[in-house]
Amino acid sequence: MNSDDRLRQRASRLLSQVATRSDRLINEGLAQADARKWHYAVLASLQDFGPASQAALSKRTGIYRSDMVGVLNELAQRQLVERAPDPDDQRRNVITISPVGRRQLRRLDGVLDVLHDELLAPLDAAERDQLVRLLTRLLDHHDSPGS
């Protein structure tokens, strides 16, 4: 067994290399659409789960709280989200996706569909579904308490 074979048998290395290529592809593709992956994450979270505080959005999306303010400022400046005082706690804001944000999210879904087709080109539909299920299972396992 040569070193190349050994490296290609390590799931951690393969995942890391695919993640690097995926990040590059997604970041470049979204940049061409004048967006960033964090924009998409926030808009998708708001659409899928409803209005949320900055802290809840940070937890849902994996964006550090310190970075979330900047992301939300960018989205608000583009009128993609709306901020309003939380009626239960005036010290924090509730973030809601705007109608413009919903349109942008649909547009970005289309952009990401094309990019994912490029990323996953060697896999057929069943293999793509299986890959997503397996990755989700790994992520859920490592995100669960006690892991």
Side-chain angles (χ1 to χ4, degrees):
M1 171 186 311
N2 65 38
S3 64
D4 186 47
D5 291 335
R6 182 172 289 135
L7 292 175
R8 291 186 63 87
Q9 292 178 11
R10 296 290 178 191
S12 59
R13 180 171 169 85
L14 294 171
L15 284 167
S16 176
Q17 289 182 317
V18 170
T20 298
R21 286 168 175 82
S22 174
D23 276 349
R24 186 178 314 122
L25 178 70
I26 299 303
N27 288 333
E28 289 172 1
L30 287 174
Q32 290 178 1
D34 193 28
R36 297 188 308 132
K37 64 183 177 181
W38 297 130
H39 295 166
Y40 181 81
V42 169
L43 294 174
S45 176
L46 290 170
Q47 180 65 32
D48 292 348
F49 300 104
S53 68
Q54 289 178 196
L57 279 172
S58 178
K59 187 173 181 177
R60 283 186 200 167
T61 62
I63 300 171
Y64 292 115
R65 284 178 153 189
S66 58
D67 295 332
M68 181 60 74
V69 173
V71 172
L72 292 175
N73 286 343
E74 291 172 10
L75 293 172
Q77 182 179 9
R78 296 172 184 212
Q79 299 178 339
L80 301 174
V81 298
E82 298 166 351
R83 294 181 193 172
D86 185 334
D88 297 327
D89 184 348
Q90 294 294 314
R91 295 170 296 172
R92 68 179 180 191
N93 288 320
V94 173
I95 314 302
T96 306
I97 189 169
S98 70
V100 174
R102 283 189 189 85
R103 287 193 297 277
Q104 175 71 342
L105 179 59
R106 284 191 299 274
R107 182 173 155 259
L108 294 178
D109 278 333
V111 168
L112 287 172
D113 287 346
V114 170
L115 294 170
H116 285 140
D117 282 345
E118 183 178 338
L119 177 68
L120 303 173
L123 305 178
D124 64 30
E127 290 170 323
R128 291 175 185 199
D129 289 344
Q130 181 181 22
L131 177 63
V132 169
R133 281 192 310 274
L134 292 170
L135 291 172
T136 300
R137 198 162 117 203
L138 283 170
L139 189 59
D140 288 349
H141 169 78
H142 291 289
D143 279 349
S144 67
S147 62

